[in-house]
Amino acid sequence: MNRSNSFVLPALAALLGVVALPAHRAESQPLPAPRSGPTYADLADLADSAPLVARLQVRKLVAIDPARAAGVRPGRARFYVEARTEALLAGQAVLGEAQRYLVDLPLDAKGKPPKLKKTSVLVFARQVAGRPGELQLIRPEAQLVWDAAVDARVRTILAELLAPGAPPRVLRVREAIHVAGNLAGEGETQLFLATSDEEPAAITVTRTPGQPPRWGVSFSEVLAQSGDVPPRETLTWYRLACFLPARLSTAANVSGSGADRAAAAADYRFVLDQLGPCERTAS
């Protein structure tokens, strides 16, 4: 994920412009509505985009002069952070003991940030070339307060991402074909997916008279079997629920007849309903 270089730490001389955040800043801008903790999709979005994931302990937090903090969302402010490395959860980086980076944090009604000094946090970041000990978050807000539950969920997602045969990113539905069976209401739809690694991937929906439709997904050359349904909040579920388009495109639906094309579209909607919504709290 490419981000503007303006979010990389400025030279030390420029940091002399760091100032205490004035309280009136929060009063002039609406605060975002309270949000619950991060969802599976929130965490997967971060973990899937970050070259490194680390647990750090915040040692110093200083507000950046708003004039030097471009692009900060309303109700937030940018901060310079100095932190101590506690653990590297993922990545090939060699981290020293001390890290520094910029992060955007929410402000309370008094214009104050969360009290994070001596607090452990998870950061999703990359190292800055030629600047040892300096990190750039993959997003201005890609820092989470550490707790055991979040840590465990992130580690599970990282293990899924690094596992052999992990499902790749789904880009679109490349082709959809429905073939009707010999009996009324009988048929099968194949949804062939385009993926980031260009390897085969397909969803199969099977309909049998008198029975509910069944479906499955395969990220290999082996055709999906009915019943291979990914459990919710797994990497396979995330790849589908969070990235399949909301409707099957006409161009992708290459079924032979109008009735077959309608059946393919209906089967696609069935799969989306089965997957359920991809819930995110982060924007």
Coordinates of all heavy atoms in Angstrom, one line a residue, residues 156-208:
T156 N -3.2 -15.2 14.7 CA -3.9 -16.2 13.9 C -4.0 -15.8 12.4 O -3.8 -16.6 11.5 CB -5.3 -16.4 14.5 OG1 -5.3 -16.9 15.8 CG2 -6.2 -17.4 13.6
I157 N -4.3 -14.6 12.2 CA -4.4 -14.1 10.8 C -3.0 -14.1 10.1 O -2.9 -14.6 9.0 CB -4.9 -12.6 10.8 CG1 -6.4 -12.6 11.2 CG2 -4.8 -12.0 9.4 CD1 -6.9 -11.2 11.5
L158 N -2.0 -13.8 10.8 CA -0.6 -13.8 10.3 C -0.2 -15.3 9.9 O 0.4 -15.5 8.9 CB 0.4 -13.2 11.3 CG 0.3 -11.7 11.5 CD1 1.2 -11.3 12.6 CD2 0.7 -11.0 10.2
A159 N -0.6 -16.2 10.8 CA -0.3 -17.6 10.5 C -1.1 -18.1 9.3 O -0.5 -18.8 8.5 CB -0.7 -18.5 11.7
E160 N -2.3 -17.6 9.1 CA -3.1 -18.0 7.9 C -2.4 -17.4 6.7 O -2.3 -18.1 5.6 CB -4.5 -17.5 8.0 CG -5.4 -18.2 9.0 CD -6.8 -17.6 9.0 OE1 -7.0 -16.5 9.5 OE2 -7.7 -18.3 8.6
L161 N -2.0 -16.1 6.7 CA -1.4 -15.5 5.6 C -0.1 -16.2 5.2 O 0.3 -16.2 4.0 CB -1.1 -14.0 5.9 CG -2.3 -13.1 6.0 CD1 -1.9 -11.8 6.6 CD2 -2.9 -12.9 4.6
L162 N 0.7 -16.7 6.1 CA 2.0 -17.3 5.8 C 1.9 -18.8 5.6 O 2.9 -19.4 5.3 CB 2.9 -17.0 7.0 CG 3.2 -15.5 7.3 CD1 4.0 -15.3 8.5 CD2 4.0 -14.9 6.1
A163 N 0.8 -19.4 5.8 CA 0.6 -20.8 5.6 C 0.8 -21.2 4.1 O 0.4 -20.5 3.2 CB -0.7 -21.3 6.1
P164 N 1.4 -22.4 3.9 CA 1.5 -22.9 2.5 C 0.1 -23.0 1.9 O -0.8 -23.5 2.5 CB 2.2 -24.3 2.6 CG 2.9 -24.2 4.0 CD 2.1 -23.3 4.8
G165 N 0.0 -22.5 0.7 CA -1.3 -22.6 0.0 C -2.4 -21.6 0.5 O -3.6 -21.8 0.2
A166 N -1.9 -20.6 1.2 CA -2.9 -19.6 1.6 C -3.6 -19.0 0.5 O -3.0 -18.7 -0.6 CB -2.1 -18.5 2.4
P167 N -4.9 -18.8 0.6 CA -5.7 -18.2 -0.5 C -5.2 -16.8 -0.9 O -5.0 -16.0 0.0 CB -7.1 -18.2 0.0 CG -7.0 -18.2 1.5 CD -5.8 -19.0 1.8
P168 N -5.0 -16.5 -2.2 CA -4.5 -15.2 -2.6 C -5.6 -14.2 -2.6 O -6.8 -14.5 -2.4 CB -4.0 -15.5 -4.0 CG -4.9 -16.6 -4.5 CD -5.2 -17.4 -3.3
R169 N -5.3 -13.0 -2.9 CA -6.3 -11.9 -3.0 C -7.2 -12.2 -4.2 O -6.8 -12.5 -5.3 CB -5.7 -10.5 -3.1 CG -4.8 -10.2 -1.9 CD -4.0 -8.9 -2.1 NE -3.2 -8.6 -1.0 CZ -2.2 -7.7 -1.0 NH1 -1.8 -7.2 -2.1 NH2 -1.5 -7.5 0.2
V170 N -8.5 -12.0 -4.0 CA -9.5 -12.1 -5.1 C -9.7 -10.7 -5.7 O -9.9 -9.8 -5.0 CB -10.8 -12.6 -4.5 CG1 -11.9 -12.6 -5.6 CG2 -10.7 -14.1 -4.0
L171 N -9.5 -10.7 -7.0 CA -9.6 -9.4 -7.8 C -11.0 -9.2 -8.4 O -11.5 -8.1 -8.3 CB -8.6 -9.4 -8.9 CG -7.1 -9.6 -8.4 CD1 -6.2 -9.6 -9.6 CD2 -6.7 -8.6 -7.4
R172 N -11.6 -10.3 -8.9 CA -12.9 -10.2 -9.5 C -13.4 -11.5 -9.9 O -12.7 -12.5 -9.8 CB -12.8 -9.3 -10.8 CG -12.0 -9.9 -11.9 CD -11.9 -9.0 -13.1 NE -11.2 -9.6 -14.2 CZ -9.9 -9.8 -14.3 NH1 -9.1 -9.3 -13.4 NH2 -9.4 -10.4 -15.4
V173 N -14.7 -11.6 -10.4 CA -15.2 -12.8 -11.0 C -14.8 -12.8 -12.5 O -15.3 -11.9 -13.2 CB -16.7 -13.0 -10.8 CG1 -17.2 -14.2 -11.5 CG2 -17.1 -13.0 -9.3
R174 N -14.0 -13.7 -12.9 CA -13.5 -13.7 -14.3 C -14.6 -14.2 -15.2 O -14.8 -13.7 -16.3 CB -12.2 -14.6 -14.4 CG -11.6 -14.7 -15.7 CD -10.3 -15.3 -15.7 NE -10.2 -16.6 -15.0 CZ -10.6 -17.7 -15.5 NH1 -11.0 -17.8 -16.7 NH2 -10.5 -18.8 -14.8
E175 N -15.3 -15.3 -14.8 CA -16.3 -15.9 -15.7 C -17.3 -16.7 -14.8 O -16.9 -17.3 -13.8 CB -15.5 -16.9 -16.6 CG -16.3 -17.4 -17.8 CD -15.5 -18.1 -18.8 OE1 -15.2 -19.3 -18.5 OE2 -15.0 -17.5 -19.8
A176 N -18.5 -16.7 -15.2 CA -19.6 -17.4 -14.5 C -20.3 -18.3 -15.6 O -20.8 -17.7 -16.6 CB -20.5 -16.5 -13.8
I177 N -20.5 -19.5 -15.3 CA -21.2 -20.4 -16.2 C -22.2 -21.3 -15.4 O -21.8 -22.0 -14.5 CB -20.2 -21.3 -17.0 CG1 -19.2 -20.5 -17.7 CG2 -21.0 -22.3 -17.9 CD1 -18.1 -21.4 -18.4
H178 N -23.4 -21.3 -15.9 CA -24.4 -22.2 -15.3 C -24.8 -23.2 -16.3 O -25.1 -22.9 -17.5 CB -25.7 -21.4 -14.9 CG -26.8 -22.3 -14.3 ND1 -26.8 -22.8 -13.0 CD2 -27.9 -22.8 -14.9 CE1 -27.8 -23.6 -12.9 NE2 -28.5 -23.6 -14.0
V179 N -24.9 -24.5 -15.9 CA -25.3 -25.6 -16.8 C -26.5 -26.2 -16.1 O -26.4 -26.7 -14.9 CB -24.2 -26.6 -17.0 CG1 -24.7 -27.8 -17.8 CG2 -23.0 -25.9 -17.6
A180 N -27.7 -26.2 -16.8 CA -28.9 -26.8 -16.2 C -28.8 -28.3 -16.2 O -28.1 -28.9 -17.1 CB -30.1 -26.4 -17.0
G181 N -29.4 -29.0 -15.3 CA -29.4 -30.5 -15.2 C -30.6 -31.0 -16.0 O -31.3 -30.3 -16.7
N182 N -30.8 -32.3 -15.9 CA -31.9 -33.0 -16.7 C -33.2 -32.8 -16.0 O -34.3 -32.8 -16.7 CB -31.6 -34.5 -16.8 CG -30.4 -34.7 -17.7 OD1 -30.1 -34.0 -18.6 ND2 -29.6 -35.7 -17.3
L183 N -33.3 -32.5 -14.7 CA -34.5 -32.3 -14.0 C -34.8 -30.8 -13.7 O -33.8 -30.0 -13.7 CB -34.4 -33.1 -12.6 CG -34.2 -34.6 -12.7 CD1 -34.0 -35.1 -11.3 CD2 -35.3 -35.3 -13.4
A184 N -36.0 -30.5 -13.6 CA -36.4 -29.1 -13.3 C -35.8 -28.7 -12.0 O -35.9 -29.4 -11.0 CB -37.9 -29.0 -13.3
G185 N -35.1 -27.6 -12.0 CA -34.5 -27.1 -10.7 C -33.1 -27.6 -10.5 O -32.5 -27.3 -9.4
E186 N -32.6 -28.5 -11.3 CA -31.3 -29.1 -11.2 C -30.3 -28.3 -12.0 O -30.6 -27.9 -13.1 CB -31.3 -30.5 -11.6 CG -30.0 -31.3 -11.4 CD -30.1 -32.7 -11.9 OE1 -30.5 -32.9 -13.0 OE2 -29.8 -33.6 -11.1
G187 N -29.1 -28.1 -11.5 CA -28.1 -27.4 -12.2 C -26.8 -27.1 -11.4 O -26.8 -27.3 -10.2
E188 N -25.8 -26.6 -12.1 CA -24.5 -26.3 -11.4 C -24.0 -25.0 -12.0 O -24.0 -24.8 -13.2 CB -23.5 -27.4 -11.5 CG -22.2 -27.1 -10.8 CD -21.3 -28.3 -10.9 OE1 -21.4 -29.3 -10.1 OE2 -20.5 -28.3 -11.9
T189 N -23.5 -24.1 -11.1 CA -22.9 -22.9 -11.5 C -21.4 -22.9 -11.1 O -21.1 -23.2 -10.0 CB -23.6 -21.6 -10.9 OG1 -24.9 -21.6 -11.4 CG2 -22.8 -20.4 -11.3
Q190 N -20.5 -22.5 -12.0 CA -19.1 -22.4 -11.7 C -18.8 -20.9 -11.8 O -19.1 -20.3 -12.9 CB -18.2 -23.2 -12.7 CG -18.3 -24.7 -12.6 CD -17.5 -25.2 -11.4 OE1 -16.6 -24.6 -11.0 NE2 -17.9 -26.4 -10.9
L191 N -18.2 -20.4 -10.8 CA -17.7 -19.0 -10.8 C -16.2 -19.0 -10.7 O -15.6 -19.3 -9.7 CB -18.3 -18.3 -9.5 CG -19.8 -18.3 -9.4 CD1 -20.2 -17.9 -8.0 CD2 -20.4 -17.3 -10.4
F192 N -15.6 -18.7 -11.8 CA -14.1 -18.7 -11.9 C -13.6 -17.3 -11.5 O -14.0 -16.3 -12.0 CB -13.7 -19.1 -13.3 CG -14.1 -20.4 -13.7 CD1 -15.2 -20.6 -14.5 CD2 -13.4 -21.5 -13.3 CE1 -15.7 -21.9 -14.8 CE2 -13.8 -22.8 -13.6 CZ -15.0 -23.0 -14.4
L193 N -12.6 -17.3 -10.5 CA -12.2 -16.1 -9.9 C -10.8 -15.7 -10.5 O -9.9 -16.5 -10.7 CB -12.1 -16.2 -8.4 CG -13.3 -16.7 -7.7 CD1 -13.1 -16.9 -6.2 CD2 -14.5 -15.9 -8.0
A194 N -10.6 -14.4 -10.7 CA -9.2 -13.8 -11.0 C -8.6 -13.5 -9.7 O -9.2 -12.8 -8.8 CB -9.3 -12.6 -11.9
T195 N -7.4 -14.0 -9.5 CA -6.6 -13.7 -8.2 C -5.3 -13.1 -8.4 O -4.8 -13.0 -9.6 CB -6.4 -15.1 -7.5 OG1 -5.6 -15.9 -8.3 CG2 -7.7 -15.8 -7.2
S196 N -4.7 -12.6 -7.4 CA -3.5 -11.8 -7.5 C -2.3 -12.6 -7.9 O -1.3 -12.1 -8.5 CB -3.2 -11.2 -6.1 OG -3.1 -12.1 -5.1
D197 N -2.3 -14.0 -7.7 CA -1.2 -14.8 -8.1 C -1.5 -15.6 -9.4 O -0.7 -16.4 -9.8 CB -0.8 -15.8 -7.0 CG -1.9 -16.8 -6.7 OD1 -3.0 -16.7 -7.3 OD2 -1.7 -17.6 -5.8
E198 N -2.7 -15.3 -10.0 CA -3.1 -15.9 -11.2 C -3.3 -17.4 -11.2 O -3.3 -18.0 -12.2 CB -2.1 -15.5 -12.4 CG -2.0 -13.9 -12.6 CD -1.1 -13.6 -13.7 OE1 -0.4 -14.4 -14.3 OE2 -1.1 -12.4 -14.1
E199 N -3.4 -17.9 -10.0 CA -3.6 -19.4 -9.9 C -5.1 -19.6 -9.9 O -5.9 -18.8 -9.7 CB -3.0 -19.9 -8.5 CG -1.5 -19.9 -8.5 CD -0.9 -20.8 -9.5 OE1 -1.4 -21.9 -9.6 OE2 0.1 -20.4 -10.1
P200 N -5.5 -20.9 -10.3 CA -6.9 -21.2 -10.4 C -7.7 -21.0 -9.1 O -7.2 -21.4 -8.0 CB -6.9 -22.7 -10.8 CG -5.6 -22.9 -11.4 CD -4.6 -22.0 -10.6
A201 N -8.9 -20.5 -9.2 CA -9.8 -20.4 -8.0 C -11.2 -20.4 -8.5 O -11.5 -19.8 -9.6 CB -9.5 -19.2 -7.2
A202 N -12.1 -21.1 -7.9 CA -13.4 -21.2 -8.4 C -14.4 -21.5 -7.2 O -14.1 -22.2 -6.2 CB -13.6 -22.3 -9.4
I203 N -15.6 -21.0 -7.4 CA -16.8 -21.3 -6.5 C -17.7 -22.2 -7.3 O -18.0 -21.9 -8.4 CB -17.5 -20.1 -6.0 CG1 -16.5 -19.2 -5.1 CG2 -18.7 -20.4 -5.2 CD1 -17.0 -17.8 -4.8
T204 N -18.2 -23.2 -6.7 CA -19.2 -24.1 -7.3 C -20.5 -24.1 -6.5 O -20.5 -24.2 -5.3 CB -18.7 -25.6 -7.3 OG1 -17.5 -25.6 -8.1 CG2 -19.7 -26.5 -8.0
V205 N -21.6 -23.9 -7.2 CA -22.9 -23.9 -6.5 C -23.7 -25.1 -7.2 O -23.8 -25.1 -8.5 CB -23.7 -22.6 -6.7 CG1 -25.1 -22.7 -6.0 CG2 -22.9 -21.4 -6.1
T206 N -24.2 -26.0 -6.4 CA -25.0 -27.1 -7.0 C -26.4 -27.1 -6.4 O -26.7 -26.9 -5.2 CB -24.3 -28.4 -6.5 OG1 -23.0 -28.4 -7.0 CG2 -25.1 -29.6 -7.1
R207 N -27.4 -27.3 -7.4 CA -28.8 -27.3 -7.0 C -29.4 -28.7 -7.4 O -29.2 -29.1 -8.5 CB -29.6 -26.2 -7.7 CG -29.2 -24.8 -7.2 CD -30.0 -23.7 -7.8 NE -29.6 -22.4 -7.4 CZ -30.2 -21.8 -6.3 NH1 -31.1 -22.4 -5.6 NH2 -29.8 -20.6 -5.9
T208 N -30.0 -29.3 -6.4 CA -30.7 -30.5 -6.6 C -32.2 -30.4 -6.2 O -32.5 -29.8 -5.1 CB -30.0 -31.6 -5.7 OG1 -28.7 -31.7 -6.0 CG2 -30.7 -33.0 -5.9

